[in-house]
Amino acid sequence: IVVVGEVWLKNDDLKTINAEREKNNLPIYVNPRNLAAGTLRQLDTDIVASRNLQTFIYDLEYLDNGQTFETHEEELQFLKKQGFNVNQDRKLCKSLSDIQNYYESWIEKRHDSQYGIDGLVIKLNNKQYCKQLGYTAKSPRFGVAYKFPAEETTTTVEDIIIQVGRTG
């Protein structure tokens, strides 16, 4: 079996790790997404094991018994039965207005989640259509990211250092 997913770190775990780093006068980590990615690059397996990384599995890439699925939802149910962690925060929508309503319901509650979320991914459910559409060099044609509006904040520039680089 070959699956596709992502590794992530809970926001609460980031706070715990940063509290320990502050006690040891070490720089704190800015966000859980970068820390999870950096943790996977660690050569020290003890550090990796200590960080309580989580996974969400999103797709079944290959299954050697030849079993196929008509829908993506069936595929996700199969993956869950096999013991993979499948994100439960999903909805099978039947119309564009269903998609829009679900998207709008997440705009504010995204901050309450233990995992970072900057939008939703909308995918076709019909696996045959997905196969026909295929992939670009970087992403599937049967899925699209629907990003949330950018958050805006005010900051103060405290200092600017101007320097000339090596090439002038």
Side-chain angles (χ1 to χ4, degrees), residues 48-96:
V48 177
S50 73
R51 292 208 174 142
N52 194 29
L53 295 175
Q54 308 293 312
T55 61
F56 281 139
I57 303 302
Y58 296 119
D59 283 305
L60 177 60
E61 189 75 19
Y62 172 78
L63 187 59
D64 72 353
N65 70 3
Q67 183 177 1
T68 59
F69 303 92
E70 288 185 28
T71 68
H72 185 59
E73 186 62 29
E74 288 174 5
E75 188 178 279
L76 292 173
Q77 291 300 327
F78 170 81
L79 290 167
K80 185 177 178 183
K81 286 179 186 171
Q82 302 311 304
F84 291 101
N85 190 22
V86 175
N87 192 331
Q88 296 302 303
D89 292 326
R90 65 180 190 273
K91 181 178 180 182
L92 186 59
C93 296
K94 301 287 185 184
S95 68
L96 291 176

Side-chain angles (χ1 to χ4, degrees), residues 124 126-135 140-142:
L124 289 178
N126 183 303
K127 295 302 285 183
Q128 185 61 35
Y129 292 159
C130 294
K131 186 176 179 181
Q132 289 172 347
L133 288 169
Y135 291 81
R141 289 187 177 105
F142 52 85

